[in-house]
Amino acid sequence: MPIDAERWWRAVALRDAWQAHGLATGPSDRAATEAAISALYQLADRPPPVFTWVDSPRAALRLVPPGPVRHPVRDLSRDVANDIADRWSALRWRLDGVLPSRQWSAWSTENALDALRAGHSPAYIAETHLLAPLLSQVRDRVVRFVRAELGETVGLCWYGQHEVDWIARFEVHRLLGGLSFTDEDSAELELWAVLARSCGWWWPREGHCVVSERPVVTHFEAGDEPRLHNENGPAVAYGDGFALHFWHGTRVPAWVIDDPTHERIAAERNVEVRRCAVERLGWQRFLDGADLALVATAPDPGNHGHELRLYDQPAGWGARQRLLVTVNGSVERDGTRRRYGLRVPAWFDDPVDAAAWTYGLTGTQYALLVRRT
Amino acid sequence: MKLFELLDKTNLDVLDHLEREVSVPVVDGLHAQGDVLVLPFDLVSSVVRIDVHALLADVPPEGVELVRGAAGGNPHTLTADRNAARWTASVMDPLGLAVAYVENTAPVYLVHPEHGATGIAPGRWLVRRQREHVAVRRRTSFSSGWSGSVLVAD
């Protein structure tokens, strides 16, 4: 093995510590935050700004105008956010230059230590086993949903604690590869690291800076690759009530978690949201409570071992229609298969005919289905 | 072809829990990938027409996205070796379900992050989306209007 195990475990612990910062809740370290941001202003030749602290990114957006996002060619405006962005890109560019060049090879699913013993470089295994999962956990499973929920132009800002992926990357490679950055670069990286340990999203503007607190709640499901999930309330919530609800990683409206009634489920247009709401209620309770009478069942062509089930819907669900319950052809992460309920016209008595209709076919045609995934 | 070979070749990706060492089956017949159905064109050629002005485009190795999920993720992507397949979205389907016509002389592959990949044997194919019944007729861009149905959004 090319490196000692002890150093590898220190890298794992380092990554874990950054992940904890990225997902941390609770009050910011305001003094540390303001000092670090003031230092970044100073590097951009500006005096320290006046700080405004708010409870959530949504509250921050009410205080900062959208932008400034600079057009790379037309617009050479030198506002403070763009100056900080320029220095930030330059810093990352210089640090990237010191890192070992990336190897591209087939994704290794082996245990990290086995892969190291087999001769993969520690830098490569750190990317695949430590850093890619961190990126996915924080950016893909938290940041993009918060950003999408804000809905408006978020403008040029930084994510504070949610920037841990790139900071961790440099620190992990520095530890594993024994790399050295210049003193200036190390000091500048440390300013960003302080922010990732101390605060939420922040918006630098000329003369003033708006900083958001971190969430007060983040809930994940258990497991190796936890996704946002909370069946008793929001999975992400900020102090002022700005909140996002999730069902096993799927973003859902609050009612799905708080009050999934049969009426709301019946009215929901998005089949994925409806599925989550039914799962939240429990399929059995949904089928019982909705007073659905089973009309017929049939083997699902192409989906071996699974059934199509056709139910009559009670009055009050709108014009006459029936509910076809199908089982997904692919297995989920947890080994189960999702069930879906699709509404079909009321004139079908045969589940295969009803399933065929959803694709515009006759039952005889649909029965030819060779495979479903 | 193994799934990981296909993903390496196309730069596409699937979720981590899917087995990457499996061989991707090449199916010669009707098959479904979630809310998308691939059917032999002959099955529906009496009602579905290719626009006479349609230009068939090559399906590139990096793929074409045929359908994207409502939340912006989970696209169904069609990928093929160069000169193996041609496709068009200019299909006239009275039900409004068709998204693409594909003709291929070698296997092409339909890839989805949650469903993995399926190979499609050489032939002429129609790709259709799934619909469900709506009680109230709504005129939206997603609705085929007269039929009282909406496309399944997953």
Side-chain angles (χ1 to χ4, degrees):
Chain A
M1 189 167 143
I3 62 160
D4 55 295
E6 189 266 334
R7 192 190 290 200
W8 173 257
W9 288 116
R10 273 166 53 209
V12 173
L14 186 58
R15 190 282 311 262
D16 289 349
W18 280 112
Q19 178 156 310
H21 290 307
L23 304 176
T25 54
S28 301
D29 181 341
R30 294 192 175 193
T33 302
E34 294 187 3
I37 292 177
S38 296
L40 291 172
Y41 268 68
Q42 192 173 12
L43 288 171
D45 294 325
R46 302 294 201 289
V50 175
F51 286 94
T52 307
W53 283 85
V54 292
D55 283 338
S56 76
R58 187 177 63 184
L61 278 191
R62 297 198 191 104
L63 298 178
V64 283
V69 176
R70 180 171 55 188
H71 188 280
V73 177
R74 282 202 301 267
D75 179 6
L76 298 173
S77 66
R78 289 184 46 91
D79 49 69
V80 66
N82 277 313
D83 282 354
I84 291 174
D86 288 345
R87 285 200 65 100
W88 178 64
S89 314
L91 171 70
R92 293 180 61 171
W93 179 258
R94 290 195 302 275
L95 297 180
D96 260 332
V98 183
L99 295 194
S101 58
R102 296 214 201 182
Q103 294 177 342
W104 297 108
S105 56
W107 185 270
S108 163
T109 51
E110 321 165 71
N111 168 292
L113 284 177
D114 290 344
L116 288 169
R117 281 189 205 103
H120 284 291
S121 81
Y124 172 68
I125 299 303
E127 288 284 348
T128 56
H129 286 69
L130 300 182
L131 298 167
L134 174 65
L135 179 80
S136 154
Q137 184 78 34
V138 179
R139 296 255 171 186
D140 298 350
R141 295 185 195 161
V142 181
V143 172
R144 76 180 174 96
F145 287 111
V146 174
R147 236 192 118 104
E149 185 62 19
L150 291 173
E152 307 146 51
T153 308
V154 175
L156 185 49
C157 70
W158 281 272
Y159 301 145
Q161 68 172 155
H162 292 151
E163 308 254 345
V164 288
D165 57 289
W166 67 269
I167 299 162
R169 184 159 180 260
F170 291 127
E171 295 212 335
V172 164
H173 282 301
R174 177 158 60 181
L175 171 66
L176 284 176
L179 310 174
S180 57
F181 303 144
T182 67
D183 290 348
E184 290 78 15
D185 286 351
S186 292
E188 200 169 334
L189 177 63
E190 180 56 22
L191 294 177
W192 292 95
V194 167
L195 294 174
R197 289 193 291 261
S198 307
C199 65
W201 297 18
W202 56 282
W203 282 257
R205 295 294 181 263
E206 216 63 60
H208 75 282
C209 182
V210 179
V211 192
S212 169
E213 288 286 347
R214 297 182 287 208
V216 291
V217 168
T218 47
H219 270 287
F220 289 87
E221 62 188 359
D224 288 342
E225 296 178 57
R227 298 166 298 175
L228 284 167
H229 173 71
N230 183 7
E231 55 185 60
N232 297 311
V236 178
Y238 288 83
D240 61 356
F242 177 54
L244 290 81
H245 294 72
F246 288 83
W247 180 260
H248 296 292
T250 301
R251 171 94 177 89
V252 292
W255 67 263
V256 170
I257 303 299
D258 297 338
D259 192 16
T261 61
H262 289 88
E263 292 70 28
R264 284 175 163 155
I265 291 169
E268 173 56 46
R269 152 91 178 83
N270 185 308
V271 67
E272 192 76 3
V273 170
R274 212 162 61 217
R275 172 187 63 77
C276 292
V278 172
E279 287 179 7
R280 166 76 183 93
L281 197 62
W283 267 97
Q284 204 51 55
R285 209 177 129 201
F286 169 73
L287 294 173
D288 294 345
D291 197 20
L292 299 172
L294 185 65
V295 177
T297 65
D300 188 359
N303 196 7
H304 185 68
H306 295 281
E307 272 188 339
L308 299 169
R309 299 172 74 85
L310 187 62
Y311 291 89
D312 232 342
Q313 294 197 117
W317 273 42
R320 268 173 54 72
Q321 58 187 353
R322 284 181 163 164
L323 185 74
L324 176 72
V325 177
T326 68
V327 179
N328 208 345
S330 301
V331 179
E332 300 303 313
R333 287 171 196 273
D334 60 6
T336 62
R337 287 173 192 252
R338 286 178 181 165
R339 288 207 274 179
Y340 286 90
L342 296 173
R343 292 169 292 198
V344 294
W347 60 76
F348 290 113
D349 295 322
D350 179 346
V352 176
D353 287 342
W357 175 87
T358 67
Y359 292 112
L361 300 176
T362 65
T364 315
Q365 290 173 325
Y366 187 74
L368 300 172
L369 192 70
V370 177
R371 174 177 151 100
R372 163 174 287 289
T373 56
Chain B
M1 170 127 47
K2 295 278 176 69
L3 180 54
F4 77 84
E5 294 172 311
L6 179 66
L7 299 177
D8 273 358
K9 230 167 113 168
T10 56
N11 225 4
L12 295 171
D13 207 359
V14 298
L15 296 182
D16 293 342
H17 71 286
L18 294 179
E19 178 60 60
R20 281 154 200 266
E21 288 289 336
V22 293
S23 292
V24 179
V26 175
V27 177
D28 191 3
L30 189 71
H31 61 273
Q33 185 177 80
D35 58 344
V36 161
L37 187 77
V38 181
L39 57 147
F41 188 71
D42 291 344
L43 211 56
V44 288
S45 56
S46 58
V47 288
V48 175
R49 293 269 182 274
I50 311 301
D51 188 327
V52 288
H53 301 296
L55 290 173
L56 295 184
D58 270 345
V59 177
E62 62 270 24
V64 274
E65 266 182 28
L66 296 184
V67 174
R68 190 168 260 279
N74 291 345
H76 297 266
T77 306
L78 188 70
T79 168
D81 286 334
R82 291 250 174 249
N83 302 320
R86 301 190 304 155
W87 79 290
T88 178
S90 304
V91 189
M92 288 173 291
D93 180 355
L95 297 179
L97 298 177
V99 290
Y101 165 81
V102 181
E103 53 183 47
N104 54 320
T105 54
V108 297
Y109 294 89
L110 193 60
V111 185
H112 185 274
E114 289 179 349
H115 299 294
T118 303
I120 305 172
R124 301 165 72 226
W125 304 93
L126 187 72
V127 181
R128 260 186 179 168
R129 290 190 60 181
Q130 193 172 28
R131 64 176 168 176
E132 67 171 330
H133 183 67
V134 285
V136 183
R137 182 183 298 188
R138 280 184 296 188
R139 282 215 167 265
T140 73
S141 57
F142 298 111
S143 168
S144 44
W146 55 272
S147 66
S149 68
V150 292
L151 296 178
V152 169
D154 72 342

